[in-house]
Amino acid sequence: MKINESAENYLETIYILSNKIGAVRSIDIVHELGYSKPSVSVAMKHLRENNYIKTDKDGYITLTITGREIAARIFERHYVLTNSLISIGVTPEVAADDACRIEHVISAETFEAIKTYIHKKED
C-alpha cells in the first residue's frame, strides 16, 4: 500500500492526538501542526475519501483500521529512529526532525534491521 508522506504525517498526528486527548477534531490538528484550517480540511477530505479516517456528525475524527495500521507503523518508526539518533549523540530536536524525514523513505527491511540491531545492543 503506497501512501504519500503528507497523508502519513496527518495519520500519525491523529494517532498521537487520539492517544493524548481522546476525541480529535480538525482544529486540534490545526493547532498541533500549525497548518491553516483550509489545508487541514482538504487533507481530512482526502483521508476520508481513501478510507483512512471517519468523521462523525460532530466533526470528531477516528482512524479506520487501515488508517490506524499506517499511523502506528509511522509512529513506531519515528520513535525508534529518534531514540536511535539520540543514542549516537544527535540532539533531541535534530533527531526528531531527521527521524520525521527518514521514517517515510526507509524500507521495511532496513527498519527491521535497525530494530533488531538496537534490541541486540540493549540485551
Side-chain angles (χ1 to χ4, degrees):
M1 153 187 11
K2 186 67 177 154
I3 180 171
N4 71 39
E5 180 177 333
S6 175
E8 288 179 340
N9 282 334
Y10 277 110
L11 292 173
E12 181 183 23
T13 299
I14 295 165
Y15 181 83
I16 291 167
L17 287 172
S18 66
N19 288 327
K20 189 184 338 181
I21 64 172
V24 178
R25 296 177 76 169
S26 290
I27 194 66
D28 301 314
I29 299 165
V30 166
H31 293 305
E32 182 72 17
L33 296 176
Y35 296 163
S36 71
K37 289 179 186 179
S39 294
V40 171
S41 179
V42 168
M44 294 305 104
K45 179 180 181 236
H46 287 115
L47 292 175
R48 207 171 32 258
E49 288 171 347
N50 287 293
N51 200 35
Y52 296 127
I53 65 168
K54 293 183 186 275
T55 53
D56 69 14
K57 63 180 176 54
D58 296 319
Y60 290 101
I61 300 164
T62 55
L63 295 165
T64 63
I65 293 171
T66 303
R68 180 167 289 286
E69 288 171 353
I70 294 167
R73 176 176 46 88
I74 295 300
F75 179 77
E76 178 191 29
R77 286 178 173 209
H78 186 90
Y79 180 81
V80 169
L81 292 167
T82 298
N83 288 325
S84 298
L85 294 170
I86 290 169
S87 75
I88 61 171
V90 179
T91 62
E93 298 79 19
V94 172
D97 288 345
D98 287 348
C100 193
R101 287 190 290 279
I102 295 167
E103 69 195 22
H104 303 287
V105 297
I106 192 170
S107 70
E109 179 183 352
T110 299
F111 180 69
E112 289 303 318
I114 290 170
K115 276 191 354 185
T116 299
Y117 177 78
I118 291 167
H119 289 337
K120 284 180 183 176
K121 284 192 66 146
E122 291 174 348
D123 291 341

